Amino acid sequence: MKIYKSTVFPLIVILSLISAVFLVDYVPILQYADELVTILLLPYMVLGTIKRCTYIDKCIRNIFFLFVLIGLIGIASTVLNKVQPDKFAVCLDMLTLSKIIICPVGMYFLLNEHNSEEIIRILTPMAKFFLWSGLACAVISQFINIGMTEYERNGIKSFYFIVGFQHLFSILVLCALLIILSKKYDLRYILIAIVQMILTLKGPSIIWSVSILFILYYFKRDREKIDKWVYVVLLLFCIIFGQFQIQNYFLNDTAPRLVLFNYGLKTALAYFPLGSGFATYGSPVAASYYSPLYQLYGFNNKYGMSKTDTSFLNDNYWPTIIGQFGFLGLIIALIIFVNFFYFVMKSNLRKELKAVTISCLLFIAIHSLGSSIFTTNATLILFIIMVVIIKMYDTEVEEGR
């Protein structure tokens, strides 16, 4: 079957990111796949926004200019405060934190109704195979040890398939589900996804499994907008089904996530108003290059936060934003996320598909409270898939449309 020339590059981008998730342990150089993709898509984002500034979707335009603003804040704070002496670390952190904006927006300008539909057609068989094989292994793993589980709680084994981490597996399940449902609504695949998400035993995944049914029911009642009471119900879901995470991550004074949050506030106040700058606090690069602030805060003496064991140092996202870009940067980052939410809400997606997409954003928002999920390859793939599907339904999303 003929493939449009315009399909080749965006398809390669997506497949390279997917390959990096599965093969990075065997091909170490793939750990830089997302940074390379970010560099390649940057010109498309910049030139696309400049050339089509007057008639592109308002939310996309807002995201671009807010992204530029927070980038300028980061550069200014880095230059003025001089906390991170390693310039390569600074550049790497800029790419790591900005890829979640650059790649989806860059793809937005690369895609049209034809190549986006073709990408979905090519990815759909892969997505179905992933969900069905994952379901089979998830069930088998509860009875036989096939090396795909980590721990056991209440007689249920925590499943992560071949990915290695439950949260990454959960995101890939959502990617596969969106791809499959983009052409036709099929409740079977939602149920298959729910089973696998629950078996990860992770709070955000369990919350998604409950909330997706509620959101689907809500949108099936011919709703175009989300009423305020829905947010209250979803918040209650988060509190009820996230008790374990709340108790262990946010109400325990010695928990690394709470420590990172408290010192993120301290960093924002110490370097008010612009924050401490790139590669200085909370980010994966700040951990890899062990920021001077960690020595100053005594993290070297804490389990999982030392120079030799940094496993907990990037178990956060919002403390990173607060610490490195200050309170202003935090506000800007939140507004960017809200704009992407509205971008989804105002799209021409079918109601069921829009409901699933919104549930994915809810999952990411919840997970970001306790992990650096916005910096992972899997989340990058998820946001790109969202843009591909929206472009498939919206030939040209124009302001005021």
Side-chain angles (χ1 to χ4, degrees):
M1 189 174 291
K2 183 181 178 181
I3 297 178
Y4 291 102
K5 289 183 180 179
S6 62
T7 304
V8 176
F9 179 57
L11 182 62
I12 290 175
V13 166
I14 295 171
L15 292 178
S16 64
L17 292 173
I18 294 174
S19 301
V21 172
F22 290 103
L23 302 176
V24 67
D25 291 336
Y26 309 100
V27 187
I29 196 172
L30 286 176
Q31 66 183 305
Y32 299 110
D34 49 348
E35 280 81 11
L36 176 60
V37 166
T38 302
I39 293 171
L40 292 175
L41 289 177
L42 178 60
Y44 290 95
M45 182 186 76
V46 175
L47 296 177
T49 304
I50 293 174
K51 289 180 179 179
R52 302 162 63 181
C53 184
T54 57
Y55 62 91
I56 61 173
D57 180 79
K58 183 179 179 180
C59 292
I60 294 294
R61 187 168 67 245
N62 290 345
I63 289 171
F64 174 78
F65 287 113
L66 289 168
F67 166 73
V68 172
L69 180 57
I70 198 172
L72 292 174
I73 290 174
I75 293 171
S77 57
T78 301
V79 173
L80 293 174
N81 296 319
K82 297 181 173 62
V83 176
Q84 177 55 262
D86 194 311
K87 291 181 174 56
F88 179 77
V90 170
C91 294
L92 187 58
D93 198 46
M94 291 174 68
L95 284 174
T96 301
L97 295 179
S98 62
K99 63 187 178 184
I100 195 63
I101 303 296
I102 293 174
C103 293
V105 176
M107 288 289 281
Y108 172 85
F109 291 108
L110 266 175
L111 297 167
N112 56 53
E113 59 177 325
H114 303 297
N115 57 15
S116 55
E117 186 170 1
E118 194 166 37
I119 288 170
I120 293 299
R121 176 181 60 79
I122 294 170
L123 294 179
T124 298
M126 304 178 198
K128 289 181 177 180
F129 176 77
F130 180 76
L131 284 190
W132 280 111
S133 58
L135 177 65
C137 292
V139 174
I140 293 172
S141 291
Q142 298 305 308
F143 306 98
I144 303 172
N145 183 7
I146 55 176
M148 296 182 181
T149 56
E150 182 181 1
Y151 56 85
E152 186 173 324
R153 188 184 300 163
N154 299 323
I156 302 175
K157 296 175 182 177
S158 176
F159 180 69
Y160 56 73
F161 200 26
I162 58 175
V163 182
F165 297 97
Q166 289 89 343
H167 69 285
L168 295 181
F169 171 62
S170 295
I171 299 170
L172 294 177
V173 167
L174 297 181
C175 290
L177 183 62
L178 280 175
I179 291 169
I180 295 168
L181 298 182
S182 62
K183 296 295 290 183
K184 181 182 178 182
Y185 177 71
D186 193 332
L187 183 59
R188 289 180 306 162
Y189 286 102
I190 294 177
L191 296 177
I192 290 171
I194 287 175
V195 170
Q196 295 179 71
M197 295 287 273
I198 291 175
L199 289 178
T200 64
L201 300 185
K202 291 298 183 180
S205 300
I206 295 172
I207 292 171
W208 178 87
S209 301
V210 177
S211 63
I212 180 60
L213 298 176
F214 172 75
I215 297 174
L216 278 170
Y217 172 76
Y218 179 83
F219 270 88
K220 272 198 173 278
R221 298 177 64 190
D222 294 325
R223 306 277 187 165
E224 291 294 340
K225 296 182 180 180
I226 299 180
D227 296 325
K228 292 181 180 179
W229 66 267
V230 176
Y231 296 109
V232 176
V233 173
L234 293 175
L235 179 61
L236 289 175
F237 284 158
C238 295
I239 294 173
I240 293 170
F241 294 98
Q243 280 296 307
F244 178 83
Q245 283 72 20
I246 292 172
Q247 292 291 334
N248 287 275
Y249 297 160
F250 302 111
L251 298 181
N252 182 352
D253 291 339
T254 60
R257 288 175 176 86
L258 187 57
V259 171
L260 286 167
F261 178 75
N262 289 335
Y263 276 92
L265 294 176
K266 181 177 179 179
T267 303
L269 292 171
Y271 294 94
F272 186 84
L274 301 179
S276 55
F278 287 108
T280 57
Y281 190 81
S283 68
V285 178
S288 299
Y289 287 81
Y290 210 74
S291 169
L293 291 182
Y294 296 159
Q295 296 281 5
L296 179 65
Y297 296 155
F299 286 2
N300 203 38
N301 300 318
K302 297 180 182 294
Y303 175 74
M305 303 176 79
S306 66
K307 197 169 187 177
T308 55
D309 180 11
T310 61
S311 52
F312 294 149
L313 273 178
N314 60 342
D315 256 4
N316 74 103
Y317 181 75
W318 299 110
T320 300
I321 302 300
I322 297 171
Q324 295 197 163
F325 307 105
F327 298 106
L328 178 59
L330 173 64
I331 294 171
I332 294 171
L334 288 171
I335 296 175
I336 288 175
F337 187 81
V338 169
N339 268 274
F340 193 86
F341 176 81
Y342 280 122
F343 174 63
V344 173
M345 284 295 298
K346 66 192 286 191
S347 68
N348 291 330
L349 298 179
R350 299 189 324 270
K351 286 185 174 62
E352 299 91 344
L353 185 56
K354 185 178 291 187
V356 176
T357 307
I358 289 170
S359 73
C360 293
L361 291 176
L362 174 66
F363 172 85
I364 295 297
I366 295 170
H367 224 307
S368 69
L369 298 176
S371 72
S372 57
I373 196 165
F374 281 109
T375 64
T376 64
N377 266 6
T379 303
L380 190 58
I381 296 168
L382 179 61
F383 273 76
I384 288 175
I385 293 299
M386 290 181 195
V387 172
V388 172
I389 294 172
I390 289 173
K391 290 293 284 189
M392 186 173 70
Y393 279 83
D394 298 345
T395 306
E396 185 66 45
V397 184
E398 297 179 0
E399 181 180 359
R401 173 176 156 177

